[in-house]
């Protein structure tokens, strides 16, 4: 979505103030260390253009120079939106991503996905419903597309500083959405996605994380990619977990070696040998009646279910859960409520009495 | 005593002969006696003759025995020498026996490696597998026109019901659908269908990748594709030295089990007045895209030069 480098000396129209400001704030966000990489990925300013800029000056001055350069080259709002997408791609962990699952009617035709048709259909649906909306696309590898949507209203121009991002891999039923603060726009977004991708229904999954790649690994079932073949040289039994009781220090006697080995084996069966997908939390909403062994406890007589929320947080939740039993903190096997997370593709649970 | 007359009983001829003999000396009635004597002499002389012969026979028999015994003696002494020699050798040099054992181990190891290599080579058949502790890990190795492409795995747990533990099948291949239809009832068919889908996908992907990498100069802009590589759209030219890209092609692969398109649309978007040649070319291109793998169509463009051989259109 780039304009042709027209090379007009006398500019008929200066860049819109808001667009210039948008450029300034977007470029200011980029860390100096990444500046070159981001600008190269953007590919709007050529090598020659970039060479005219002094990258060693103070950041504010550098940003000013770059904005002037963009103005000279007649960069549009769409160019700025594209730069914003690239910045977000570099810093995808700064957003929290939800996962949506789409479905088709059974027995529908083969999906002949045409990316250009998808994009134009998606944009049209949004623009028909909301006059003021900015939609930008950037294709990425693996036949996927990043979509940036800046929402406005009937009377207000789109707010470029609170955009929604959608990542969609063609011919899959999943869409990853960086949380929208405007819940009211969600149904429209869902509709645009389903119609443009020729699906029938869309549902929000109970799965959320900052780590987009981990979410993708979970729903695409790509997290366990070790397979036994006749080519593999290491027998699986020989691989060990982090806490290796085979590290021999003759001064240490393991009294419960058998139990330790059982724990290692059970943990390995459940969690496998592969690196776990990265999640930051698991949340369990309990609406169950209190169950107690002690008779006559205060809570035992209640008919009302207890409502409580249990939340597990960690920089890397699944690795933490994996290390619980070997560290002696929990029994092995762990509760299936904890171990089913990647398999079921959920980290939000509602538990009710059956 | 000659002439002594002995009174004898009458009729005794022998006696008379004997008498006669004794009278006549040895000539008369001593004839029989004489014959007797001669007989005795003869047998004696025979015996005398025989004795040396007998002795010779005995002698030669003994000689043969001696000869035999000598031979036996020689044989036995030779054997004794051999055994002595062997004992000496084995005492001095233990290795010959050990190398015999080691080479047996080597032979077994080589056999084991040979079998392992055969198991690894099974990949080339397209479907291979390895038993696991919970079931079997099936490997589907895809190929297109003799080129070995990606391998995909399905790890099955053999339980009732049969289930998939984990896999490396891409998410856009309808694995759940195929499993729902066939996994429980006919696992061979399940694997066969999966194989078809994956090989076709691999083949389409290979063609698209080859077009993008080998014939980028013939394309205006990137090749439009999707995850399944079942919709390809591109603008192209035939002559590398052409300035413009006069043709647009859109290939649809509605059958996911094939690597050739089911729908082909080629449009000519040039402004050349001589419409007929372009129309012929356009039609010929369409036919080629239907029947040949994508990158091979472009290879034949490169070979044909300016004029497209009309014999292709048939």
């Amino acid at each position: 979505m780039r304009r042709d480098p027209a090379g007009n000396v006398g500019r008929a129209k200066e860049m819109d103030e808001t667009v210039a400001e948008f450029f300034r704030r977007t470029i200011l966000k980029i860390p100096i260390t990444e500046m070159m990489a981001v600008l190269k990925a953007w590919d709007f300013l050529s090598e020659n253009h970039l060479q005219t800029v002094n990258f060693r000056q103070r950041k504010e001055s550098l940003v000013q120079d770059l904005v002037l350069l963009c103005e000279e080259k007649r960069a549009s709002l769409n160019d700025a939106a594209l730069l914003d997408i690239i910045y977000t791609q570099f810093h995808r962990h700064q957003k929290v991503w939800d996962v949506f699952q789409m479905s088709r009617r059974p027995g529908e035709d083969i999906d002949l996905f045409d990316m250009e048709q998808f994009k134009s259909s998606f944009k049209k649906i949004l623009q028909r419903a909301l006059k003021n909306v900015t939609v930008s696309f950037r294709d990425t590898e693996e036949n996927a597309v990043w979509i940036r949507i800046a929402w406005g209203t009937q009377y207000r121009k789109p707010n470029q500083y609170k955009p929604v991002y959608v990542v969609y891999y063609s011919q899959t039923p999943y869409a990853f959405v960086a949380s929208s603060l405007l819940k009211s726009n969600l149904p429209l977004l869902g509709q645009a996605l389903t119609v443009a991708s020729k699906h029938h229904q869309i549902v929000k999954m109970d799965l959320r994380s900052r780590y987009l790649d981990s979410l993708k690994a979970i729903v695409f079932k790509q997290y366990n990619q070790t397979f036994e073949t006749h080519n593999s040289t290491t027998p699986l039994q020989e691989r060990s977990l982090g806490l290796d009781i085979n590290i021999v220090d003759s001064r240490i006697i393991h009294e419960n070696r058998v139990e330790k080995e059982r724990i290692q084996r059970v943990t390995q069966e459940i969690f496998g040998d592969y690196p776990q997908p990265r999640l930051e939390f698991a949340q369990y909403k309990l609406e169950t009646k209190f169950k107690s062994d002690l008779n006559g406890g205060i809570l035992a007589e209640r008919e009302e279910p207890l409502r409580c929320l249990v939340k597990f947080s960690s920089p890397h939740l699944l690795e933490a859960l994996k290390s619980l039993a070997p560290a002696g903190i929990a029994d092995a096997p762990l509760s299936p409520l904890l171990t089913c997370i990647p398999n079921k593709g959920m980290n939000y649970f509602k538990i009710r009495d059956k | 005593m000659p002439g002594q007359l002995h009174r004898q009983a009458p009729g005794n001829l022998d006696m008379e002969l004997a008498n006669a003999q004794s009278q006549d000396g040895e000539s008369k009635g001593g004839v029989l006696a004489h014959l007797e004597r001669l007989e005795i002499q003869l047998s004696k002389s025979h015996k005398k003759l025989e004795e040396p012969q007998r002795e010779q026979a005995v002698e030669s028999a003994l000689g043969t025995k001696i000869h035999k015994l000598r031979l036996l003696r020689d044989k036995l002494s030779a054997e004794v020498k051999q055994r002595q020699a062997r004992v000496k050798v084995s005492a001095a040099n233990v290795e010959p026996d050990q190398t015999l054992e080691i080479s047996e181990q080597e032979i077994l190891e080589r056999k084991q490696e040979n079998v392992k290599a055969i198991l690894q080579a099974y990949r080339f058949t397209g479907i291979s597998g390895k038993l696991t502790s919970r079931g079997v890990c099936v490997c589907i190795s895809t190929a297109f026109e003799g080129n070995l492409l990606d391998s995909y795995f399905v790890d099955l747990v053999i339980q009732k019901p049969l289930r998939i533990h984990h896999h490396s099948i891409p998410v856009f291949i309808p694995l759940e659908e195929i499993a729902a239809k066939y996994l429980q009832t006919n696992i061979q068919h399940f694997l066969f269908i999966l194989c078809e889908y994956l090989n076709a996908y691999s083949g389409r992907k290979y063609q698209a990748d080859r077009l993008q990498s080998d014939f980028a100069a013939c394309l205006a802009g990137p090749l439009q594709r999707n995850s399944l590589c079942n919709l390809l759209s591109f603008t192209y030219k035939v002559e590398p030295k052409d300035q413009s890209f006069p043709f647009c092609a859109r290939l649809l692969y509605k059958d996911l089990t094939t690597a050739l398109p089911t729908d082909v649309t080629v449009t000519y978007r040039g402004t050349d007045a001589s419409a007929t040649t372009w129309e012929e070319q356009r039609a010929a291109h369409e036919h080629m895209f239907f029947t040949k793998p994508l990158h091979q169509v472009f290879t034949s463009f490169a070979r044909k030069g300016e004029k497209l051989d009309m014999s292709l259109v048939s």
Side-chain angles (χ1 to χ4, degrees):
Chain A
M1 294 197 161
R2 223 186 302 151
R3 282 201 195 149
D4 291 331
N8 248 341
V9 176
R11 279 182 278 155
K13 184 173 79 174
E14 277 186 6
M15 187 186 275
D16 195 288
E17 272 288 315
T18 51
V19 176
E21 178 62 13
F22 181 34
F23 264 112
R24 196 188 69 84
R25 281 165 65 167
T26 308
I27 299 174
L28 199 59
K29 273 195 297 188
I30 307 171
I32 290 278
T33 48
E34 291 171 12
M35 192 65 77
M36 257 315 201
V38 172
L39 291 175
K40 283 210 172 108
W42 187 35
D43 202 27
F44 177 78
L45 300 170
S46 67
E47 278 287 334
N48 294 333
H49 296 150
L50 292 174
Q51 270 171 17
T52 64
V53 179
N54 176 14
F55 281 86
R56 295 192 192 283
Q57 58 188 315
R58 260 175 55 238
K59 192 172 184 188
E60 283 189 14
S61 324
L62 170 63
V63 172
Q64 240 176 356
D65 285 353
L66 286 169
V67 174
L68 279 171
L69 199 54
C70 291
E71 279 189 13
E72 265 179 48
K73 302 297 158 193
R74 295 170 159 275
S76 66
L77 178 62
N78 283 324
D79 297 316
L82 203 61
L83 183 62
D84 198 16
I85 295 179
I86 294 168
Y87 170 80
T88 310
Q89 285 177 326
F90 270 68
H91 295 266
R92 54 189 75 182
H93 308 318
Q94 286 176 4
K95 305 245 177 242
V96 179
W97 299 87
D98 284 311
V99 189
F100 288 79
Q101 185 172 16
M102 297 184 279
S103 54
R104 289 211 158 85
R105 283 194 195 87
E108 270 185 14
D109 283 335
I110 300 284
D111 185 3
L112 291 157
F113 182 85
D114 185 330
M115 186 58 92
E116 296 310 307
Q117 255 178 32
F118 168 81
K119 288 184 205 172
S120 103
S121 174
F122 184 87
K123 196 167 184 176
K124 274 202 196 114
I125 292 170
L126 288 182
Q127 284 175 338
R128 252 186 254 144
L130 273 180
K131 208 172 53 145
N132 287 310
V133 66
T134 313
V135 185
S136 320
F137 302 97
R138 185 166 196 250
D139 291 347
T140 56
E141 73 278 315
E142 292 183 75
N143 299 288
V145 62
W146 277 59
I147 313 172
R148 178 184 180 276
I149 308 146
W151 305 94
T153 65
Q154 286 282 60
Y155 309 105
R156 272 209 321 266
K157 277 203 150 173
N159 182 351
Q160 299 298 337
Y161 302 102
K162 287 203 161 75
V164 170
Y165 290 91
V166 179
V167 180
Y168 178 61
Y169 288 79
S170 61
Q171 292 166 318
T172 69
Y174 301 101
F176 305 91
V177 181
S179 299
S180 167
L181 298 171
L182 303 163
K183 291 228 168 79
S184 54
N185 286 319
L186 217 50
L188 180 59
L189 177 63
Q191 188 192 9
L193 270 172
T194 36
V195 174
S197 66
K198 303 208 179 87
H199 284 91
H200 170 57
Q201 227 184 10
I202 187 166
V203 155
K204 185 170 178 213
M205 292 175 71
D206 294 320
L207 184 61
R208 175 185 290 174
S209 171
R210 288 185 178 278
Y211 301 101
L212 181 60
D213 299 320
S214 291
L215 292 174
K216 176 178 165 243
I218 289 172
V219 293
F220 290 4
K221 304 247 174 268
Q222 293 170 340
Y223 51 89
N224 182 357
Q225 297 293 287
T226 46
F227 298 95
E228 277 189 60
T229 66
H230 292 292
N231 295 331
S232 49
T233 46
T234 323
L236 289 177
Q237 295 83 3
E238 283 181 17
R239 286 183 232 152
S240 61
L241 300 177
L243 309 167
D244 193 352
I245 58 171
N246 292 325
I247 296 169
V248 176
D249 184 338
S250 56
R251 295 169 297 177
I252 298 175
I253 302 167
H254 291 283
E255 289 298 332
N256 53 348
R257 172 173 272 268
V258 172
E259 176 62 11
K260 278 208 158 89
E261 279 170 0
R262 183 194 74 88
I263 290 174
Q264 266 203 355
R265 190 178 36 86
V266 166
T267 307
Q268 202 242 23
E269 270 170 24
I270 295 175
F271 289 92
D273 289 322
Y274 46 86
Q276 301 294 315
R278 195 167 177 185
L279 298 170
E280 315 89 85
F281 60 87
Q283 184 172 295
Y284 301 83
K285 220 177 214 180
L286 301 176
E287 285 175 26
T288 56
K289 280 206 208 152
F290 188 80
K291 291 185 183 88
S292 167
D293 291 332
L294 309 163
N295 277 327
I298 302 171
L299 300 169
E301 304 290 318
R302 289 186 133 233
E303 283 302 313
E304 287 276 310
L306 268 181
R307 288 177 224 277
C308 84
L309 189 79
V310 180
K311 184 172 178 179
F312 296 88
S313 302
S314 166
H316 198 323
L317 182 73
L318 294 177
E319 284 290 344
L321 291 175
K322 181 176 173 180
S323 59
L324 280 181
I329 298 172
D331 289 332
L334 290 176
S335 160
L337 282 171
L338 293 170
T339 56
C340 71
I341 291 172
N343 217 5
K344 283 203 171 157
M346 294 171 79
N347 62 349
Y348 277 84
F349 296 83
K350 280 202 181 72
I351 303 165
R352 295 197 183 91
D353 284 322
K354 288 194 189 118
Chain B
M1 198 179 254
Q4 213 173 6
L5 203 70
H6 293 284
R7 289 255 169 129
Q8 287 179 5
N12 198 343
L13 191 61
D14 286 354
M15 286 299 285
E16 287 177 3
L17 278 172
N19 284 336
Q21 211 172 9
S22 61
Q23 274 182 359
D24 269 357
E26 296 184 21
S27 57
K28 264 215 180 159
V31 172
L32 288 175
H34 186 65
L35 282 174
E36 250 186 82
R37 279 199 292 271
L38 281 176
E39 213 177 34
I40 293 167
Q41 269 183 358
L42 186 64
S43 65
K44 268 190 192 165
S45 64
H46 271 163
K47 272 186 195 161
K48 275 186 190 155
L49 281 173
E50 273 177 34
E51 269 184 25
Q53 279 180 4
R54 244 189 293 129
E55 279 170 13
Q56 269 183 20
V58 170
E59 206 181 283
S60 65
L62 286 172
T64 323
K65 199 173 178 187
I66 290 172
H67 186 67
K68 274 190 195 163
L69 286 171
R70 276 199 191 127
L71 281 178
L72 186 63
R73 177 204 67 187
D74 290 343
K75 195 170 136 197
L76 286 171
S77 64
E79 223 171 289
V80 165
K81 274 186 195 155
Q82 253 185 21
R83 286 203 181 181
Q84 279 176 344
R86 251 192 276 157
V87 165
K88 269 190 204 154
V89 165
S90 60
N93 192 9
V94 195
E95 284 173 350
D97 277 291
Q98 274 194 352
T99 50
L100 191 69
E101 285 167 21
I102 286 174
S103 64
E104 276 182 24
Q105 187 181 341
E106 267 182 16
I107 290 169
L108 281 175
E109 276 176 5
R110 260 179 243 144
K111 270 191 185 169
Q112 192 185 35
E113 281 186 27
N114 202 27
V115 170
K116 265 195 195 166
I118 291 175
L119 285 172
Q120 287 180 14
Y122 260 95
R123 275 196 170 202
F124 297 114
T125 62
I127 301 188
S128 57
K130 180 170 192 256
L131 288 177
T132 64
S133 52
R134 15 158 214 267
V136 63
C137 183
V138 179
C139 173
I140 296 174
S141 305
T142 60
F144 182 71
E145 305 224 313
N147 298 291
L148 198 61
L149 302 171
D150 292 326
S151 293
Y152 300 96
F153 296 89
V154 181
D155 191 306
L156 293 167
V157 180
I158 297 184
Q159 273 176 3
K160 275 216 153 65
L162 203 59
R163 67 183 173 88
I164 298 174
H165 187 262
H166 64 288
H167 62 85
S168 69
I169 313 282
V171 63
F172 40 81
I173 301 282
L175 177 64
E176 284 83 29
E177 274 174 39
I178 302 169
K181 271 194 211 158
Y182 303 111
L183 183 61
Q184 304 305 327
T185 51
N186 187 349
I187 189 171
Q188 276 177 331
H189 201 56
F190 165 75
L191 288 173
F192 176 71
I193 298 277
L194 195 56
C195 218
E196 268 194 329
Y197 271 82
L198 288 170
N199 272 288
Y201 161 68
S202 257
R204 295 193 299 269
K205 181 164 171 290
Y206 177 73
Q207 293 174 63
D209 289 342
R210 288 293 299 272
L211 177 62
Q212 256 181 316
S213 62
D214 298 353
F215 299 98
C218 295
L219 299 180
L223 172 68
Q224 305 274 354
R225 55 199 283 183
N226 57 24
S227 298
L228 277 167
C229 291
N230 69 348
L231 190 150
L232 301 176
S233 179
F234 51 95
T235 307
Y236 67 101
K237 64 183 174 188
V238 175
E239 285 293 311
K241 56 184 197 312
D242 269 352
Q243 289 299 322
S244 68
F245 298 85
F247 296 102
C248 267
R250 194 174 162 85
L251 276 58
L252 304 180
Y253 301 74
K254 286 186 183 158
D255 183 355
L256 289 180
T257 60
T258 61
L260 285 177
T262 53
D263 294 62
V264 175
T265 318
V266 178
T267 51
Y268 172 67
R269 44 175 232 155
T271 49
D272 203 324
S274 56
T276 36
T277 29
W278 290 116
E279 175 52 34
E280 279 168 1
Q281 272 194 44
R282 189 204 62 79
H285 290 190
E286 264 189 21
H287 178 79
M288 285 173 85
F289 284 128
F290 263 115
T291 51
K292 276 190 184 185
L294 192 52
H295 55 294
Q296 285 177 17
V297 174
F298 276 80
T299 310
S300 54
F301 286 162
R303 277 199 225 119
K304 283 295 172 281
E306 281 210 342
K307 292 219 171 79
L308 208 60
D309 191 348
M310 284 305 132
S311 62
L312 283 172
V313 186
S314 54

